[in-house]
Amino acid sequence: MTAVLAGVIIAVGLLGIVSLVLPGLVVVLAGVAVWAVPRGDALGWWVLGIAGLLVVAGTVAKYLLPGRALKEAGVPGRTLMLGAGLGVVGFFVIPVIGLFLGFVLGVWLAELVRLPDRRQAWTSARHALRAVGYSMLIELAAGLLATTAWIVGLVVG
C-alpha cells in the first residue's frame, strides 16, 4: 500500500515539475521517502539516499547551467526577477498558464526598457525563455532519475 501511495506522490511531483505549480523535486523525494522510511531496511535507505543526491544535483544544475547561459547572452538577473514577478501576478490573473505568459511579458518588458530596439529585447527574452526551458528539462530529468531509483528499489526489494 505504501508503494502505491508513494507512486501517486511521485507522479504528482513529476506533474508539478511540468506545470510549475508544485516544488516537483521535493514532492518526488517525499514520495520516495513515503516508501523508504517505513521499510526501515538498507535498501530503502539506499534508494532514498540516491534519490536525495539526484534531487540535490538536479536542483544545483537547474540554477547553474541556465544561469551561465544567460550570463553569456548578457541577460541581467533583474530581467528574470521582473519576469518572475509578473509570472506570479499572471498566475493569479489566468491560473496556471498565466505564470508562463506573465513571465514572458515581464522578461520582454524588462529587456525593452533596458535595450533600445524591440528586436534586441525579443532576442534577449528568447534567451531567457530558452534558459527557463532548460531549467525545467534539467529538473524533470532529475525527477525521472529519482523515480527510476525508486522503481529499481521496488523491483529489487
Side-chain angles (χ1 to χ4, degrees):
M1 183 63 178
T2 58
V4 173
L5 178 61
V8 169
I9 293 170
I10 290 168
V12 168
L14 292 173
L15 288 174
I17 291 169
V18 176
S19 68
L20 304 173
V21 176
L22 296 172
L25 285 179
V26 174
V27 176
V28 168
L29 187 60
V32 174
V34 163
W35 172 80
V37 172
R39 286 179 60 99
D41 63 355
L43 177 65
W45 290 114
W46 272 103
V47 169
L48 183 59
I50 291 167
L53 287 173
L54 290 167
V55 165
V56 169
T59 301
V60 170
K62 87 174 194 175
Y63 290 112
L64 287 182
L65 299 177
R68 185 180 311 152
L70 286 174
K71 194 172 265 188
E72 289 172 2
V75 179
R78 68 180 174 274
T79 294
L80 295 177
M81 295 302 289
L82 183 60
L86 280 180
V88 170
V89 171
F91 178 78
F92 290 106
V93 174
I94 306 169
V96 183
I97 65 165
L99 180 67
F100 177 75
L101 295 175
F103 178 77
V104 172
L105 180 64
V107 167
W108 184 71
L109 289 174
E111 289 300 276
L112 193 58
V113 168
R114 186 176 76 89
L115 299 169
D117 181 26
R118 285 184 183 201
R119 286 185 185 176
Q120 286 178 328
W122 182 243
T123 300
S124 188
R126 275 197 344 250
H127 283 293
L129 293 174
R130 191 173 299 126
V132 169
Y134 288 147
S135 177
M136 283 178 59
L137 286 175
I138 291 167
E139 187 175 8
L140 183 60
L144 290 171
L145 287 171
T147 302
T148 301
W150 172 70
I151 291 170
V152 168
L154 278 177
V155 171
V156 170

